[in-house]
Every structure is written in C-alpha cells, then in structure tokens.
Amino acid sequence: MMTEERETGKIKIESDVVAMIAGLAATDTEGVASMSGGITEGLAKRVSGKNVTKGVRVEVGETETAIDIRVVIKYGYKIHEVARKLQQNVKEAVESMTGLHVVEVNIHVEGVELQKEEHETEEENIRLK
C-alpha cells in the first residue's frame, strides 16, 4: 500500500487498486485473450472479466510498485510483441493513475487461445481427410 502524508492529510492507495488498474490495462491490450489464474488454478485457466485482478500480483512500496501478470495470448499474435505492448500499457496506466513509479512489469504467458472458428475448421478438415 502506498501512503503519502501531506499537510491536508494522508493518501493511501491499496495494492488491490493497483492490481485492478493493471488488470484492466492488460485486458485492453490487443492480442491478450484472457487473464490466467496461474498454475495453482490450472494451466491457462480463463478468468472472467468480472475479476480482473486474477492473474495479477503486485508489490507496492512507498513510491514504487512491481507487477506480475499471467495471461493467455490469442493465436496468431507475436507473443513477444504483445508482451512488450502489455508491459508498456500497464506501466503507463498505473503510473498515470496512481503516481507510483513502476519498476517492473513481468509477463507470464501461460497459454495460447485458439479461436473457436479456426479450431472447429481445423477439426472438420481432419475428419474430411
């Protein structure tokens, strides 16, 4: 939790708030299929948009934060490019909304989501052969 004391009083930003901002920025990044709950909840288990903090772990200090995000990437996207864009989006969102300095955003890619249509077409082609 970040705490800032001023003449007018204290400002506290809970780690859950930072996690929510990071999660929303992550789900808004093109190429991210979903957030992942991590190995403990099953590899590449999808998480509904209602709980955007799943798959996000933050450490918040007095003025800095470090963020870990677990995601599933959409098939066909370049994973390294999506991950870099994700790092940038999360860093910008958290810094602009909280004033905290983001020291690192670690991306853990836990799976690739095949688009349903492509997957079904692939299965049909196999059956036809």
Side-chain angles (χ1 to χ4, degrees), residues 21-30 32 35 56 69 71 86 89-90:
I21 293 166
L24 289 169
T27 57
D28 284 346
T29 302
E30 186 176 353
V32 173
M35 304 298 287
V56 180
I69 299 179
V71 294
L86 179 53
N89 290 349
V90 168

Side-chain angles (χ1 to χ4, degrees), residues 109-127:
V109 178
E110 295 196 340
V112 174
E113 179 181 83
L114 298 175
Q115 290 181 344
K116 195 172 189 176
E117 295 169 4
E118 289 179 15
H119 185 65
E120 288 173 357
T121 304
E122 200 174 284
E123 286 178 0
E124 286 176 13
N125 287 342
I126 291 170
R127 277 187 250 139

Side-chain angles (χ1 to χ4, degrees), residues 42-101:
L43 183 61
K45 180 177 179 186
R46 274 70 174 180
V47 178
S48 71
K50 291 181 182 177
N51 192 353
V52 294
T53 60
K54 286 276 192 177
V56 180
R57 196 185 102 235
V58 299
E59 292 179 30
V60 181
E62 290 290 320
T63 59
E64 299 178 331
T65 185
I67 303 166
D68 285 277
I69 299 179
R70 299 182 179 284
V71 294
V72 176
I73 304 294
K74 291 179 182 174
Y75 179 79
Y77 282 81
K78 295 179 180 177
I79 294 173
H80 62 285
E81 289 177 7
V82 173
R84 285 188 193 118
K85 185 65 177 172
L86 179 53
Q87 287 174 316
Q88 179 184 346
N89 290 349
V90 168
K91 180 176 170 55
E92 288 174 3
V94 170
E95 287 184 344
S96 69
M97 292 185 73
T98 66
L100 289 167
H101 174 66

